[in-house]
Structure formats: structure tokens, C-alpha cells
Amino acid sequence: MSSYWERLVQARLSKELFIGVALGFSLCLSSTSLWLYFERDRQKSRPHVDFDNFTPIEIVRNEVAQGVPGLVGRCRVALLSTSGLTGDQYTGNTPLVRINSLSDALGVEILGKAEFLNPGGSVKDRVALKIIEEAEEQGLLHPHSGSTIFEGTVGSTGISIATIGRAKGYETTIIMPDDVAEEKSKALEALGAKVEKVRPSSIVDKKQFVNVARQRALEFGNTKIADDQDEGVAVSSTASSEEVDDIKARAGMATKARGFFADQFENRSNYDAHFKGTGPEIYRQTNGELDAFVSGAGKFLSVSAASGKTIAQGTFWQGTGGTIAGTGAYLKSIKPSIKVDTVVEGIGINRLTHNFELALPIIDDAYAVTDAEAVSMSRYLVKHDGLFLGSSSACNLVTCVRLAKKLGRGKTIVTILCDSGTRHYSKFWNDEYLRKADIPVDISIVEKLLVQDN
């Protein structure tokens, strides 16, 4: 009898269990269907997101820079775009910054490569690093040997050489004109560089700052190892001439201190730094979608637009020309339709250097920028974009505006933001100094320049 009731209970439990499972499964399907129904309605009410415009996440395996040299061209920054700050992103390169006020006013994309974010604070960090690294590869320099790097400069290159040189184990001596902004010489001294100031003079004068730097490098040691002015090489060693000549002693030459002349004007490393670095970065960061590149070339006495593909003969020049030459040549080699225009300003010295000569075949046009226009642009950018830039950056952007009006709406123009305004307090950012120099501080100059021609 008991077995009968047991079977009956088991059958009843099995039936109830089956019904429970079936009901549970049915409820699950029903609730899922209802959720999917309401979710489709919610998705229809959401704004459409175009995922094609999203940049994929980049996995960076080596985010730890190897000392100061490893920081050159690498920074973690907040990128600026049309909508402003877009977040903290490790880019691996100095970023391109959209100049919102100028771009919106002209209906174009004006992008500045923020080179002031390099560890030494300027585009010259690339040049300094390349010069030193290639000298080491050629056996002309050896770190931690008591060697000294000599350079003639008006400031930025010297600061970069002092920064990179100190990090790599070298002393630095910088020769500069005595009218250079005081904050530049103070920065050099703070970096441990020896600063020697000379009176401004022509390049043909032996006492001109570049020539003095070369001579100091050759006087540093007992023996000249290399002295080729055309190639930008001047190296001396504390080793005796017998040691240098003795092949067996050359293994120990690395321990002998050397005087090395960096020579940013003639040294091909200047060009290479931009052809192999800045140019490829710009092309990659824009996905090749750029129409023009603008970069300053220094100071000219007589300014003339490029005729065909060369600047008219007789133009006097002072800048190194490495940025426009190297970057422009790379961009033209990949996309020949890209316009490469240069900026000229003020009064300079009477020569064309090797690095700038490399730019002559690829320069399409040259624009003159006045001191008043550069000052106006710098104040305009602070007011409208919060960008605190130096004089060269301001000159570049004045030229971008002129070029944009010439090219028309919808174009993309890239330029170099060479350094920030922090190196220009005593002159370019000193309103009292500018007034004494009869240079107006008038933001309306750029406001008028931005007005579209009918």
C-alpha cells in the first residue's frame, strides 16, 4: 500500500516539476521578447552615431620614455578638436591642434603641430637630438667623456642642445648675440650651459656668433679631428696628434674629451630630423588629407615670392631652413600636389645655407610678415583660443590665413607651432618694449585680415 502512495506522490511531483519548468521557460521567452520590443523603440529614439569617424584604440607597448631624449616628439596631451578638449590620449608624437578661431572664420582647417610640447620647449629639440645621435653614430662624439658641444644660436636651438646634451652626458657652450632676450640666456644657464655673448655682426665677420662657436670647438682640444665648413663639421680632441694617428690607440679615443660644433645651419642632420620625423608624422596624423604646409624660413633682407620653384637670387637669409626643407620635401615626395609655402620676416644675414638650399626645389611661394602682424596674431590667439605662442608661431599663422584666403574654403593647411610665448616675455610679449620700438599692439590687424574678400 505504501509503495502505491509513494508512486503516486512521485508522479505528482514529476508532473508539477514539469509544469513549473515549462511555465518558467515560457515566462523567460515572453520577458525577453518584451525587452527586445521596447529596446528597439529606445534605439529608434537615440541619435545616430557614425562609428566610421571613430579612431580605433591604439595599443602602445612602450609608454615609458627612455630619459629626456625619449620624450622628443612624444607626449601625453589633451587633444584639441572642433568640439574642444577630447580627452587625454597618448599620441606618440607632438599633436596637431586645430586653430578653432581661424579655421571657423575662414571655412578651412588650419592645424598647428604643437612642437612647444617637446621637453626643451621647441621644434629645435628634434634637430638637437638628430645632430647628437648622428655624431655618435659616426664616432665624432662619445657620451660621458668630458666632451663639449658648441653652437651659435639666437636661443631655441641652444636650449634644445643644452637639454638633450645634458641628458646624454655632454657639456654645452652656447655663443649668442648680446641682444637676445634675457630669458633665453637665463634658461641656458639654468640648464648648466656656458653662455658667451658677442656683438651682432655679419656672417663674413670672424666674430659673428656662428663663426665664434666653430672656432671655440676647434680650440677646445689639442688636435683637429674634422674641419669641413661646407659639411658643417668641426671637431677637436684633447688627444695628442700621435694618439690620433696611432691606429692602436684609437680604441681608447672614446675616453678623450672632444669639442664638437653642432652647426645647425649647415649640418644635414637638421634636414633629416624633419624628413624622417616631422613630415611622416604630419602625413600620418592627417591621413594624407592636407592641401598645404607652411613653415618659416627665418629672416630676409629683400623679400620676393618664389619664381617657379626657386626663390629669386639675391635674397638674404638667416634661418636654418631645415624645417621647411625636410618636412616639405617628405610631404611633396608622398603627395606632389601639396603646396609648400614659407614665411619671411625682418632683416637677416647675407647667405643661403646648405639646409635652406635643399628647400628651394620644393617651395611654391613666400610670404612676408611684419612685426605688427605677428604681434596682433599672438594677442588674437590668446583671446580667442587660449594659445600662448612665440613670434615664429604667430608669423606662421598669419601666413596660413593669407594662404587660406587664396586657396578657398574647405582646404586643410598644416603649420608648425615652434615654441610658446614663455621665451618672449622681455620683447615680443612686452607691450612697453614694443611701444618703444614703434610696433603697434593692435588685435584689429588680424580681425581685418580675417574678413573675407568679396
Side-chain angles (χ1 to χ4, degrees):
M1 189 72 177
S2 60
S3 61
Y4 169 78
W5 286 108
E6 288 176 358
R7 288 195 300 273
L8 184 63
V9 170
Q10 288 177 356
R12 186 179 181 86
L13 288 174
S14 299
K15 182 180 180 180
E16 291 177 350
L17 180 62
F18 173 78
I19 293 172
V21 170
L23 286 174
F25 185 71
S26 300
L27 287 172
C28 181
L29 288 176
S30 300
S31 60
T32 300
S33 299
L34 287 171
W35 181 84
L36 290 172
Y37 174 78
F38 287 115
E39 182 64 19
R40 278 196 297 270
D41 286 343
R42 287 175 60 192
Q43 289 180 351
K44 290 178 182 178
S45 64
R46 291 174 181 169
H48 174 69
V49 179
D50 185 6
F51 286 95
D52 291 337
N53 293 329
F54 276 62
T55 301
I57 296 173
E58 180 181 358
I59 299 176
V60 181
R61 295 184 179 276
N62 183 18
E63 292 196 14
V64 180
Q66 297 301 310
V68 168
L71 290 174
V72 178
R74 305 182 56 166
C75 53
R76 182 181 293 276
V77 295
L79 296 182
L80 294 176
S81 69
T82 348
S83 57
L85 292 175
T86 59
D88 192 41
Q89 178 181 343
Y90 187 87
T91 64
N93 310 100
T94 54
L96 288 178
V97 179
R98 183 179 190 266
I99 312 300
N100 291 334
S101 64
L102 305 181
S103 300
D104 294 341
L106 298 170
V108 298
E109 294 296 306
I110 296 179
L111 310 177
K113 193 153 176 62
E115 290 296 293
F116 56 83
L117 293 172
N118 277 313
S122 82
V123 66
K124 296 298 186 179
D125 281 16
R126 295 177 183 268
V127 178
L129 181 61
K130 195 68 173 176
I131 287 174
I132 294 172
E133 285 185 340
E134 290 194 350
E136 290 175 337
E137 291 171 4
Q138 296 165 15
L140 298 175
L141 273 177
H142 301 278
H144 308 292
S145 60
S147 296
T148 297
I149 301 173
F150 295 82
E151 180 62 317
T153 171
V154 294
S156 290
T157 304
I159 292 171
S160 295
I161 287 176
T163 302
I164 306 299
R166 176 66 67 179
K168 290 179 72 66
Y170 301 102
E171 300 296 326
T172 52
T173 295
I174 305 299
I175 317 297
M176 60 198 317
D178 60 12
D179 60 351
V180 167
E182 185 181 359
E183 54 267 29
K184 292 184 180 181
S185 60
K186 286 184 175 179
L188 286 165
E189 290 168 352
L191 287 164
K194 178 182 177 182
V195 178
E196 181 180 341
K197 296 183 179 181
V198 298
R199 294 293 300 169
S201 58
S202 168
I203 188 64
V204 299
D205 190 335
K206 290 183 179 180
K207 295 182 179 179
Q208 195 266 353
F209 64 94
V210 175
N211 295 331
V212 172
R214 168 182 285 276
Q215 190 59 34
R216 294 288 184 270
L218 293 174
E219 293 171 348
F220 177 83
N222 305 316
T223 309
K224 291 182 183 179
I225 295 179
D227 184 13
D228 188 334
Q229 190 164 356
D230 292 335
E231 295 296 326
V233 179
V235 187
S236 67
S237 174
T238 54
S240 66
S241 57
E242 289 78 13
E243 288 178 304
V244 173
D245 293 335
D246 187 355
I247 296 177
K248 294 181 179 180
R250 288 186 181 179
M253 286 288 290
T255 63
K256 301 294 183 179
R258 296 184 178 187
F260 174 81
F261 177 43
D263 199 2
Q264 58 173 320
F265 295 96
E266 304 293 342
N267 197 321
R268 177 64 181 257
S269 299
N270 187 340
Y271 172 93
D272 291 341
H274 298 292
F275 187 88
K276 297 177 181 179
T278 316
E281 287 174 23
I282 289 174
Y283 194 82
R284 184 177 67 252
Q285 289 169 325
T286 59
N287 293 319
E289 297 177 1
L290 72 158
D291 300 287
F293 173 70
V294 170
S295 179
K299 298 179 181 293
F300 285 72
L301 179 59
S302 59
V303 178
S304 59
S307 174
K309 288 192 174 182
T310 60
I311 291 180
Q313 291 183 355
T315 302
F316 292 167
W317 170 88
Q318 177 172 309
T320 70
T323 307
I324 183 82
T327 307
Y330 176 84
L331 294 174
K332 284 268 193 184
S333 70
I334 301 297
K335 188 177 180 181
S337 63
I338 294 174
K339 279 182 63 63
V340 175
D341 287 0
T342 193
V343 189
V344 295
E345 49 165 324
I347 297 176
I349 55 180
N350 52 346
R351 67 162 176 163
L352 286 176
T353 66
H354 175 62
N355 280 303
F356 190 77
E357 286 177 345
L358 294 173
L360 294 179
I362 54 96
I363 291 178
D364 294 300
D365 210 346
Y367 291 79
V369 176
T370 66
D371 290 335
E373 288 172 329
V375 169
S376 179
M377 178 60 77
S378 67
R379 273 58 174 181
Y380 183 91
L381 292 169
V382 164
K383 179 179 179 180
H384 294 281
D385 298 270
L387 282 171
F388 182 49
L389 301 174
S391 57
S392 296
S393 302
C395 286
N396 286 347
L397 289 168
V398 170
T399 299
C400 286
V401 169
R402 288 188 175 146
L403 179 58
K405 295 176 74 171
K406 180 179 177 181
L407 295 179
R409 302 176 72 86
K411 302 298 184 180
T412 298
I413 303 170
V414 176
T415 191
I416 302 294
L417 304 182
C418 315
D419 61 5
S420 73
T422 56
R423 293 183 179 171
H424 304 269
Y425 286 124
S426 63
K427 291 188 176 182
F428 186 72
W429 277 98
N430 185 332
D431 289 359
E432 183 179 355
Y433 171 86
L434 294 173
R435 279 192 291 269
K436 290 180 179 178
D438 293 325
I439 299 173
V441 182
D442 183 2
I443 197 172
S444 69
I445 294 175
V446 168
E447 292 173 343
K448 293 174 184 176
L449 185 62
L450 288 171
V451 175
Q452 291 282 11
D453 298 328
N454 294 325

